[in-house]
Amino acid sequence: MPIKNGKQYVDRLNKSNPHIWVQGKRVDGPVSSHPAFRGLISTQVELYDMQGGEGYKPRMTYTSPTTGDPVGLSFLRPESREDLERRRIMMSLWCDRHHGLLGRAPDYMNTAIMAFGAAADLLKENNPQYAENMKKYYEYCRENDITLSHAFILPPTARMSSFMRTLEEPDAPRVIEKTKEGIIVSGAFLLATQGATAEEILIFPPALPSFADENLHAFAFAIPNDLPGLKFICRESLVAGDSAHDYPLSSKFEEMDTLVVLDHVLVPHDRVFIYGDETLLGKFIEESHFHTHATHQVLCRCIAKTELMLGTIESIVQALGLRTYTQVIEKVSEVITVLETLKALLIASEVQAKPDQWGTMLPNPSSLYTANCLYPKVVPRLMDIIQLIGASGLVMIPNDQDFQSEIGADLTRYLKGIEVDAQQKVRLFRLAWELSSSSFAGRQSLYERFFFGDSVKVSSRLYYNYANKDACADKVRRLLT
Ligand SMILES: Cc1cc2nc3c(=O)[nH]c(=O)nc-3n(C[C@H](O)[C@H](O)[C@H](O)COP(=O)(O)OP(=O)(O)OC[C@H]3O[C@@H](n4cnc5c(N)ncnc54)[C@H](O)[C@@H]3O)c2cc1C
């Protein structure tokens, strides 16, 4: 089957009926109509409709090498700089549609699974069958346009340091039994964003030591969301209301995060990618260049998000007539500086791209990892700037019902801006509130700070991959001799 459209996405989600819990209740109707998910799902429907839509399809799809059908361009294995550019254009179109607010829009995992598929031969070290499984899984995702989430991290008590301290059997996910049909796995993963709104999940824990001869904690696999024993437990929803007029962001872009619990889940052998080899877990992530390919998508997203922030700030400046205040302009220029830096890093990553050991064109990791280090640090500042310029306007934001009531005339008179009427001004500030100060904004900030690991991990990735530091040290050595 080629690319799917929005309706097919919804039909498949609703048909699969996974085990999802929200606020202590099991979701028993269609996922697509649940208040915690329907806004997000309608946005993803738009994304899937877009890729096959008039005017977009040539820029968002390519011809499948196996079937000749159109498939999503974010699955493309790039072989040239032109391919990277095509992929970037496709991902930017989707990112523009969700304004960079969906960290786990489908193209994120599409690039990741492409990187894993391209590097699959590395898995032969563990078992030649696993390499074939990974190649086939990449092809399966591409040909069926699978919406994939992932869970990599473990609950705190399952991590090595805690169980090394107690020397007890860890609370970490592990293989309980190996059968003719597959491996049976139990345990939990701390977080899968969009776990409940995807079709499948990729499970890839960090390397843990084992007390048994065979490392039962070392595995990687992908499974459909509705396998028996698999549960998604949602955090509290941050949808402030269904009205896009009153809640322009949380009504459409609230990506649910889930705790993923596996209770004797039977993973078929053909879905296992690694088993028993903890060294290969880290090595595969590193050598498949997962972080580099994923960051090519991440940077498109950060640019779209920064454009939304700049657009919001500039609209406030215009609405309040602040253009002549130099301290305001200085802050807006700070946002422009971030945006232009991100754009330059993205293009630099493509211009300096080189083929990797798998024959895949790899965008320059240094440019991309620099963006990974920079963005988590500047995002809170960008949110601050919205607060500093928006000031009290951010709280004086009556909703549509207030405007329709008998006090509407007062609001219309006293809440207008310099260049805009009261309703336009309030709509703008409701957007600014959701973007900078709401619980939705808090989660966005947390996401940017941690989605790729904490700042130490992200900085180490840049440092250890940055070859140019040795050349710089050589220059100093020459200077000093
Ligand atoms: C909104 C959101 C969405 C996410 N989505 C996903 C997802 O879809 N899939 C997925 O797999 N993961 C996801 N993550 C998880 C993300 O990868 C982790 O948050 C990140 O790796 C940090 O791990 P942690 O949250 O467990 O923090 P911890 O590792 O518990 O760290 C807590 C604090 O302790 C510090 N710390 C930890 N270890 C050390 C140490 N050894 N020395 C010094 N300081 C230390 C950290 O710097 C941090 O300040 C998401 C996270 C967030 C916030």
Side-chain angles (χ1 to χ4, degrees), residues 441-480:
R443 189 255 171 208
Q444 288 280 324
S445 162
L446 205 56
Y447 180 86
E448 299 299 354
R449 285 178 148 152
F450 284 106
F451 78 93
F452 243 10
D454 66 11
S455 62
V456 173
K457 270 198 198 124
V458 174
S459 313
S460 303
R461 212 172 283 138
L462 172 63
Y463 179 83
Y464 291 111
N465 281 285
Y466 193 66
N468 191 35
K469 63 183 183 297
D470 297 328
C472 294
D474 277 347
K475 280 186 189 171
V476 171
R477 224 166 282 131
R478 281 199 298 277
L479 173 79
L480 297 179

Side-chain angles (χ1 to χ4, degrees), residues 103-104 108-109 149-156 159 161 189-195 201-202 204 235 255-258 442-457 461:
R104 301 297 194 229
Y108 177 85
M109 283 308 290
S149 73
H150 71 291
F152 286 4
I153 67 160
L154 307 178
R159 296 177 192 185
S161 52
F189 286 80
L190 199 55
L191 225 134
T193 300
Q194 288 232 30
I201 183 161
L202 174 72
F204 209 117
R235 61 157 165 75
E255 282 187 304
M256 180 56 81
D257 304 299
T258 60
R443 189 255 171 208
Q444 288 280 324
S445 162
L446 205 56
Y447 180 86
E448 299 299 354
R449 285 178 148 152
F450 284 106
F451 78 93
F452 243 10
D454 66 11
S455 62
V456 173
K457 270 198 198 124
R461 212 172 283 138

Side-chain angles (χ1 to χ4, degrees), residues 348-423:
S349 78
E350 291 172 19
V351 172
Q352 301 176 81
K354 289 195 183 119
D356 67 9
Q357 67 269 45
W358 315 111
T360 310
M361 185 56 75
L362 188 69
N364 180 256
S366 301
S367 311
L368 296 175
Y369 294 171
T370 298
N372 285 156
C373 281
L374 177 73
Y375 206 62
K377 295 194 170 72
V378 297
V379 152
R381 172 66 182 159
L382 301 185
M383 290 171 149
D384 263 4
I385 290 176
I386 298 177
Q387 289 193 355
L388 292 170
I389 298 179
S392 67
L394 286 168
V395 286
M396 294 317 298
I397 46 174
N399 65 20
D400 201 35
Q401 272 180 321
D402 294 313
F403 273 102
Q404 303 311 325
S405 73
E406 64 180 78
I407 45 122
D410 289 334
L411 301 178
T412 303
R413 180 170 177 195
Y414 297 116
L415 291 183
K416 59 177 172 287
I418 302 299
E419 293 178 15
V420 292
D421 68 29
Q423 293 223 28

